[in-house]
Structure formats: structure tokens, C-alpha cells
Amino acid sequence: MRKKIVAGNWKMNTTVPEGVELAKAVVAKSAEVPADVKLIVATPFTHLCPVAQVLEGSSVSLSAENCADQEKGAYTGEVSAAMLASAGCEYTILGHSERRQYYGETDEKLVAKTRLALANGLKVILCVGEKLEEREAGKHFDVCEAQIKHVLYQFTEADMQRIVIAYEPVWAIGTGKTATAEQAEEIHAFIRKVVAGKFGAAVADDMSILYGGSCKPSNARELFAQPDIDGGLIGGAALKADDFIAIARSY
Ligand code: PGA
């Protein structure tokens, strides 16, 4: 049975003390969320260790927002998958559109990052999604299919059990413009078909596919009600514990 997941992506927000307070507030309210909904917070690297302590003993899991494409060594400024695991991460986000757009994250690098994350015991939230001009040109299916094929098709059926896909249309991220439930469902169902094309229906059925892009308490219920939407990757609204929990309670 695939998991329902609501993951907060804090991006480059909050100082360490602010992040610790936010994590405490999420933990304090986590009991309000249905037991079958997995809560994850993805924090900046600097916050991982103190937030891991806050989350200890709670049902909330810790994620990083990125990891290095190299194992270890002379890569100044990078943080390896082994480091993330040792800091208490269960997950890492990979391939977020902001990383693809501003930091030259290619599908090739994402294969290396995913491989290292999995080899170090992490689970991966892999982001895919089209830009506005790609949607307007009717290319959104092709773009998502290519992103999945270039990265996930390099992995095995067993690996897929530790991978979650987040569909995040770039035009909806931080813009207040959400995909309609129908638009999101259409592409989620398509993504599941692309996964099934390589790994079979059972693996695809088991895979959690999250929606991301201006998801908030007012629209989460309709999105999560769709058969192929298994939760959300939440940016802006994850910075307020009340909103984040309200989204998770929308199930
Ligand atoms: P948003 O960001 O909810 O602020 O649109 C989502 C994301 O980028 O993961």
C-alpha cells in the first residue's frame, strides 16, 4: 500500500533557532494528523542535527533538501549522503526545480545523487515538473516522462520502494498559482503509467506521488482527494506549523 506523505520543504528559510521552534511546533501538533499520513520536514543542512534532536521519538521524519553527487573528498562546500544519514536524515529531496534552474542540476547528476543517497540508506523524494512555456506548448507530459526516464529508469525495482516522486509544475511553485485538481491528477496518473512502463503495475501502484506548487490549507483537500495524488511537497505553507498541519489534516 502506498504511503500518504506530507513533506515540508523549508528551502533557504529560517535561522537555526527559528527552525528548531518550527520543528517543535510541528511535533507538538503532529498528533492532530491522521496516523496513516507521514509527516516529513526538509530543512537546510545547518538545521539537520538540532532538528533531528527535536524530532527524536516523534512520528515526524527528517529530510535534507539536496546532497552531493560525489561520495567524499575534496568537494568544498558539498554535503554527502553519508553525512546526511549520520545527521539523522531518513530522506533527501533531489532534483528540485530550483536546483535544476539555478544550480545546474542535470539528470546525469541526479542519477549519481540518487545512487549515493540510496547506497547510504536514505530515501529519495525526486522532483519532476514542467516550466510554464513547456505547459503552454503542451509538452508537460513529454518533459515529465523524460525526467523520469533519464533518472529513475537507471534504478531497480527494489530501489523504487525507497523513492517518492514529487510532481511540481514550475509555474505553480511559490507563485500562488496552483494546478487544478484535474490538471494535477491527469499528470500524476500519467507519471504512474511511466513508472509502470519500466517497473510494472505493482511497483507503480505502490509508489507515492506527491503534488507540489502553492499547496495550502484551502486547496489541499481537493488535491489529495484525487486517486493518484498521495500527498504534497509544501514550500511556503510549511513555514507555519498551523498551515502545514492543516494541510496534512486535509486527508
Ligand atoms: P511552494 O513550493 O509550496 O511554496 O509553491 C513548493 C516546492 O517548491 O516544493
Side-chain angles (χ1 to χ4, degrees):
M1 253 273 290
R2 61 194 190 234
K3 272 201 192 92
K4 298 172 181 174
I5 296 174
V6 175
N9 174 12
W10 294 3
K11 308 192 180 184
M12 198 171 73
N13 291 299
T14 73
T15 61
V16 173
E18 287 165 352
V20 164
E21 286 313 305
L22 177 55
K24 282 184 184 164
V26 169
V27 168
K29 291 171 193 293
S30 58
E32 298 170 17
V33 173
D36 61 343
V37 178
K38 169 124 219 75
L39 289 178
I40 301 172
V41 292
T43 83
F45 291 138
T46 44
H47 299 36
L48 291 171
C49 287
V51 169
Q53 281 180 1
V54 173
L55 302 186
E56 212 174 297
S58 81
S59 57
V60 184
S61 294
L62 183 63
S63 175
E65 300 175 9
N66 180 31
C67 81
D69 61 349
Q70 302 290 334
E71 197 179 340
K72 63 175 175 178
Y75 300 98
T76 302
E78 289 295 303
V79 176
S80 73
M83 293 172 188
L84 298 181
S86 72
C89 286
E90 186 180 338
Y91 291 84
T92 183
I93 296 173
L94 290 177
H96 191 280
S97 62
E98 287 149 15
R99 300 233 33 106
R100 293 181 192 256
Q101 196 174 340
Y102 308 136
Y103 301 99
E105 194 116 300
T106 59
D107 286 338
E108 201 178 18
K109 277 191 191 161
L110 286 172
V111 172
K113 290 183 177 200
T114 303
R115 215 177 281 295
L116 285 163
L118 295 176
N120 284 281
L122 297 172
K123 296 175 189 144
V124 170
I125 302 171
L126 179 78
C127 303
V128 300
E130 79 285 356
K131 300 192 188 96
L132 181 61
E133 60 270 24
E134 292 165 338
R135 172 152 292 255
E136 284 173 349
K139 291 192 183 140
H140 44 296
F141 293 109
D142 293 346
V143 169
C144 292
E145 182 170 13
Q147 288 172 337
I148 289 168
K149 285 190 169 168
H150 293 160
V151 182
L152 292 187
Y153 274 28
Q154 315 309 314
F155 292 89
T156 65
E157 209 177 296
D159 293 334
M160 293 300 278
Q161 324 223 314
R162 294 196 290 131
I163 296 174
V164 171
I165 296 176
Y167 167 67
E168 300 206 305
V170 179
W171 46 273
I173 296 177
T175 58
K177 209 170 150 187
T178 322
T180 64
E182 294 71 34
Q183 280 175 325
E185 169 57 21
E186 181 186 36
I187 198 139
H188 276 236
F190 172 77
I191 287 169
R192 204 176 296 286
K193 248 191 354 210
V194 175
V195 172
K198 163 88 174 170
F199 300 102
V203 170
D205 250 12
D206 233 31
M207 167 133 244
S208 298
I209 307 177
L210 314 183
Y211 169 79
S214 299
C215 186
K216 41 190 182 253
S218 59
N219 59 26
R221 188 177 298 275
E222 202 192 346
L223 287 159
F224 296 173
Q226 304 303 313
D228 288 292
I229 300 182
D230 308 309
L233 181 56
I234 319 299
L239 296 173
K240 286 199 188 118
D242 284 344
D243 286 352
F244 182 59
I245 295 295
I247 290 170
R249 288 180 63 180
S250 303
Y251 262 120

